[in-house]
Amino acid sequence: MEKILVLDFGGQYNQLIARRVRDHRVFAEILPYTAPLSVIKENGYRGIIFTGGPNSVFDPASPHYDPAILDIGVPILGICYGCQLTAFMAGGRVETAEQSEYGKIDLHVTDAASPLFADIPTDSVVWMSHTDRVTVPPAGFAVTATTDACPVAAMEDATRRLYAVQFHPEVTHSVYGNKLLENFLYRVCGCSGDWEMDSFIEDTVARLREQIGDKQVILGLSGGVDSSVAAGLLSRAVGKQLTCVFVDQGLMRKDEGDFVEKTFTSLFDMRFVRVNCQEHFLSCLKGVVDPEQKRHIIGTEFYKVFWEEIRRRSSEKGFFAQGTIYPDCIESGKGDADKIKTHHNKVKMPDDVEFLGIIEPLCDLFKDEVRRVGEKLGIPHELVWRQPFPGPGLGVRIIGEITAEKVEILQNADWVLRDEMAKNGYEQHLAQFFCVLPGVSTVGVMGDHRTYDHLVAIRAVTTDDFMTADWAKIPYDILARVSNRITNEVKHVNRVVYDITTKPPATVEWE
Ligand code: XMP
């Protein structure tokens, strides 16, 4: 298998570079700059990418590397700090500019014959973020691109196949950045693109088997994409040595708990434990109306139940697995072994539960890559393409006290909305959509009778990152059908409204 090494000098984009390389169907491995040259030589890389980094090459304490790496015969692409480091190692001049160059900058290619710039226009926009810059390229290097502030925005020593760019081709603001990386991989390194998600699955499964041996593994399954895909991989690796614990607090969408159970018990080889505790949660939530308190109770009880179940089952010490994906990892590179995914639920692993180690098979992948793995593993489309769903579930979509009756009304109304959206295909235009039960009753009329029943609100948003969101302009005829069906099919609902608020000032969830 063709492999590219991403040599990490501490830049924030190291994982993104690896991911872009994988997008071009070439496997990328990340190693810290402390990796010995002998190891790099042994690993048979087709090419090496030096990442950016926050440091200055003049600082002796900043990450450097043995200059002999430039002569091992493997093509190198230096990016940003990696570009300055290449110049520094090869004897060029690097200087600190008076003004930093930051943001979208016009790049001018001065050597159209460079393989790196093949099929890239002479003038294009790139993303820059630097203060130091190369002012004189090392002997043997020719300048291949410039910007107004940067006399050496790109340089190369074609004989030694050494390339360096001051800008960041890995970020999408560099309009032809992806093409440049493709050129490096295919034209410079001679890769053929022999890597696919199948290879990731095979390699990961083999690694997991070796790591786990004959020990047991426990995974908390939430029914979300990440833990489902992690479960799929682990099941393929170790089958019944894997126990998935699925705590159903009764606040999932209609039939969702059953769907998760059916999926994992029928499609995958594993021990599946479903802990049904709707009544316990409802009793803990009785009379509670404060949204923060509700969240706190649901989060705390969830983990209490989860760890109790694990304590009951852990007769021998095994591994603990979780579906942490790259954006969840606080540390760069590999996930930190003792870090539990707490960013949503803020609950730590209890001191009295010990494991042989933490397994995070997805910690190098981005969300869309996780979805691709999920599809390859045969996890159903609904699970793989699931919308974000808050940890506290419908608990944040029922305003005021949560009761069994309200949960049922909301589940039924939400199911109608999802069914209608799936039927007409409009769901693909939406980032997230769901029903909310504000806990408000209003007057209505049914036949000759006056009713006094629940109001249901529909929330549907478009967004790229959920930090801001716009309310979705769902066509009126679709809204009309949904409203008609909800009031006809869901008992105790006599009015439907549509939330037309952006975020900010509103949030996506109502709470
Ligand atoms: P807000 O309501 O803050 O939601 O605009 C932004 C996105 O985050 C989701 N969300 C959560 N996800 N645990 C989660 O995993 C939570 O506690 C939680 N609260 C909100 C929300 O559904 C939306 O996609």
Side-chain angles (χ1 to χ4, degrees):
M1 182 174 64
E2 296 163 350
K3 272 194 299 189
I4 292 287
L5 169 65
V6 176
L7 197 57
D8 181 6
F9 289 96
Q12 56 177 321
Y13 298 130
N14 52 15
Q15 287 287 350
L16 188 58
I17 296 171
R19 186 255 149 84
R20 296 278 183 248
V21 173
R22 294 197 294 265
D23 280 350
H24 288 296
R25 303 192 314 280
V26 179
F27 183 70
E29 192 159 82
I30 301 176
L31 287 181
Y33 71 93
T34 47
L37 187 57
S38 55
V39 170
I40 292 179
K41 278 190 199 158
E42 276 163 22
N43 282 355
Y45 298 110
R46 284 292 183 110
I48 300 173
I49 299 178
F50 292 172
T51 74
N55 306 75
S56 172
V57 289
F58 308 119
D59 181 355
S62 67
H64 285 83
Y65 205 82
D66 181 351
I69 193 169
L70 303 181
D71 292 305
I72 61 173
V74 179
I76 291 176
L77 172 66
I79 294 177
C80 195
Y81 177 81
C83 169
Q84 295 152 21
L85 190 68
T86 307
F88 186 81
M89 289 196 289
R93 190 187 305 157
V94 182
E95 290 178 49
T96 302
E98 274 174 24
Q99 260 197 327
S100 302
E101 209 180 14
Y102 182 81
K104 290 181 182 175
I105 306 285
D106 292 323
L107 180 83
H108 182 68
V109 177
T110 52
D111 180 2
S114 163
L116 213 53
F117 291 102
D119 301 326
I120 294 179
T122 310
D123 291 289
S124 67
V125 170
V126 293
W127 181 259
M128 289 276 200
S129 173
H130 68 111
T131 309
D132 289 358
R133 60 190 180 154
V134 181
T135 48
V136 179
F141 278 76
V143 176
T144 54
T146 59
T147 70
D148 283 350
C150 208
V152 187
M155 60 177 194
E156 69 186 43
D157 176 344
T159 317
R160 289 198 286 170
R161 296 190 296 170
L162 305 177
Y163 297 79
V165 293
Q166 182 54 64
F167 52 91
H168 288 275
E170 70 277 22
V171 305
T172 50
H173 300 308
S174 293
V175 181
Y176 290 92
N178 216 11
K179 181 71 195 162
L180 186 145
L181 288 173
E182 182 192 313
N183 286 340
F184 177 68
L185 299 171
Y186 285 78
R187 290 175 189 262
V188 176
C189 304
C191 294
S192 62
D194 65 356
W195 186 80
E196 286 182 34
M197 269 307 169
D198 290 330
S199 329
F200 170 84
I201 293 173
E202 277 165 33
D203 292 351
T204 309
V205 164
R207 244 197 357 259
L208 288 170
R209 275 192 192 135
E210 195 178 320
Q211 184 183 2
I212 297 164
D214 60 358
K215 302 292 180 207
Q216 299 289 316
V217 188
I218 282 192
L219 174 94
L221 198 62
S222 69
V225 187
D226 307 342
S227 62
S228 297
V229 174
L233 274 172
L234 282 156
S235 153
R236 194 174 278 195
V238 296
K240 292 232 168 4
Q241 285 163 254
L242 169 69
T243 302
C244 284
V245 177
F246 170 54
V247 177
D248 186 349
Q249 16 69 316
L251 296 170
M252 299 188 78
R253 286 170 290 201
K254 188 179 166 85
D255 299 335
E256 206 159 35
D258 295 344
F259 178 67
V260 170
E261 178 170 354
K262 190 160 156 251
T263 300
F264 286 99
T265 49
S266 62
L267 295 182
F268 293 93
D269 185 27
M270 62 169 67
R271 291 175 209 267
F272 182 90
V273 180
R274 177 173 175 176
V275 190
N276 276 322
C277 42
Q278 184 189 27
E279 278 167 21
H280 171 69
F281 273 76
L282 285 176
S283 73
C284 294
L285 289 163
K286 200 168 167 49
V288 183
V289 294
D290 178 67
E292 272 306 307
Q293 210 185 335
K294 284 198 286 190
R295 263 180 183 275
H296 179 75
I297 292 172
I298 297 170
T300 317
E301 286 308 315
F302 183 90
Y303 274 90
K304 239 194 236 170
V305 173
F306 179 70
W307 290 116
E308 263 165 37
E309 190 62 33
I310 285 175
R311 276 189 202 93
R312 276 194 335 107
R313 296 190 168 266
S314 309
S315 49
E316 59 172 295
K317 210 153 124 187
F319 290 93
F320 183 73
Q322 52 182 358
T324 324
I325 68 171
Y326 175 65
D328 299 330
C329 293
I330 302 143
E331 304 291 335
S332 68
K334 308 282 178 211
D336 219 338
D338 58 5
K339 218 155 263 152
I340 277 273
K341 185 176 177 181
T342 58
H343 64 301
H344 283 137
N345 294 301
K346 301 225 169 21
V347 178
K348 282 244 180 288
M349 189 181 273
D351 294 336
D352 64 328
V353 187
E354 277 188 31
F355 291 101
L356 291 170
I358 310 265
I359 294 176
E360 296 174 304
L362 305 174
C363 74
D364 287 335
L365 301 191
F366 287 79
K367 194 79 171 190
D368 57 323
E369 293 181 303
V370 173
R371 292 201 158 112
R372 269 157 57 204
V373 175
E375 286 193 326
K376 291 262 175 201
L377 288 170
I379 296 174
H381 189 83
E382 291 123 282
L383 264 182
V384 170
W385 289 98
R386 201 175 184 247
Q387 294 177 26
F389 189 63
L394 299 183
V396 297
R397 295 180 183 168
I398 294 173
I399 315 306
E401 186 184 5
I402 299 170
T403 63
E405 191 205 15
K406 285 186 189 167
V407 171
E408 193 184 344
I409 292 171
L410 181 56
Q411 281 179 333
N412 288 336
D414 192 66
W415 184 84
V416 169
L417 173 69
R418 284 193 289 137
D419 183 52
E420 200 52 48
M421 289 299 182
K423 273 189 191 150
N424 63 38
Y426 198 78
E427 59 186 0
Q428 65 183 329
H429 301 290
L430 305 172
Q432 198 174 5
F433 61 93
F434 51 86
C435 284
V436 177
L437 198 69
V440 171
S441 293
T442 68
V443 171
V445 58
M446 176 85 70
D448 293 332
H449 299 284
R450 204 176 119 99
T451 58
Y452 188 61
D453 255 331
H454 274 286
L455 163 78
V456 160
I458 296 170
R459 180 65 161 152
V461 294
T462 54
T463 175
D464 287 330
D465 57 9
F466 294 92
M467 304 296 284
T468 61
D470 197 3
W471 61 277
K473 313 296 182 294
I474 299 178
Y476 281 171
D477 57 332
I478 297 181
L479 285 173
R481 254 193 324 273
V482 172
S483 158
N484 194 33
R485 279 191 59 191
I486 290 179
T487 45
N488 275 305
E489 294 173 28
V490 183
K491 267 195 201 144
H492 300 299
V493 177
N494 65 0
R495 191 180 297 270
V496 177
V497 295
Y498 187 40
D499 181 349
I500 50 167
T501 335
T502 54
K503 172 183 177 177
T507 48
V508 174
E509 302 289 347
W510 279 35
E511 308 250 344

